[in-house]
């Protein structure tokens, strides 16, 4: 009976040791997953910040493009009368027989 009790105690000790080892491994995995989760979260925040910066710059560039297009339109409207005046002067000079436009 004492021998059986001793064997049961050894088996119980072995099971306890195995359980504690598996629990320690599981705890280590949980800590590792937590660390990875924080790392991923930091990378996500960094990526979101970069996307926000790209969106801000894109908006700035779009505004600058619209300003340039408006400026170009103004220049074209100002150029039209000058081109017309030059054409009329050239036509007038040619009609008078002048060789120089």
């Amino acid at each position: 009976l004492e021998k059986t009790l001793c064997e049961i105690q050894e088996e119980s000790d072995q099971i306890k040791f195995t359980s504690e080892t598996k629990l320690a491994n599981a705890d280590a995995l949980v800590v590792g997953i937590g660390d990875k989760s924080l790392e991923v979260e930091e990378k996500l925040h960094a990526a979101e910040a970069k996307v926000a910066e790209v969106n801000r710059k894109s908006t700035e560039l779009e505004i600058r493009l619209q300003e340039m297009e408006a400026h170009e339109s103004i220049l074209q409207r100002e150029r039209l009368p000058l081109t017309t005046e030059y054409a009329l002067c050239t036509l007038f000079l040619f009609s008078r027989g002048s060789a120089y436009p």
Side-chain angles (χ1 to χ4, degrees):
L1 185 62
E2 196 173 307
K3 183 180 176 186
T4 304
L5 255 170
C6 226
E7 289 174 356
I8 291 174
Q9 184 61 41
E10 286 176 9
E11 188 178 330
S12 175
D13 290 345
Q14 183 62 34
I15 290 171
K16 183 178 177 185
F17 175 77
T18 303
S19 297
E20 288 173 350
T21 302
K22 287 182 179 182
L23 182 60
N25 289 340
D27 287 342
L29 284 173
V30 168
V31 169
I33 289 170
D35 291 345
K36 286 291 183 185
S37 177
L38 288 174
E39 194 177 310
V40 167
E41 196 170 322
E42 288 172 358
K43 287 180 180 180
L44 178 63
H45 288 308
E48 287 172 345
K50 286 180 182 179
V51 167
E53 179 67 14
V54 166
N55 287 339
R56 185 185 64 76
K57 286 185 178 185
S58 176
T59 300
E60 287 177 5
L61 289 173
E62 185 63 34
I63 290 169
R64 286 180 60 195
L65 176 63
Q66 290 173 358
E67 289 171 351
M68 290 179 71
E69 288 173 343
H71 186 68
E72 180 183 20
S73 177
I74 290 168
L75 290 175
Q76 285 177 350
R77 281 195 308 266
E78 290 174 352
R79 182 175 168 252
L80 183 62
L82 295 175
T83 304
T84 304
E85 184 179 336
Y86 176 78
L88 289 174
C89 286
T90 303
L91 185 62
F92 176 75
L93 290 174
F94 275 131
S95 68
R96 294 191 57 185
S98 173
Y100 183 73

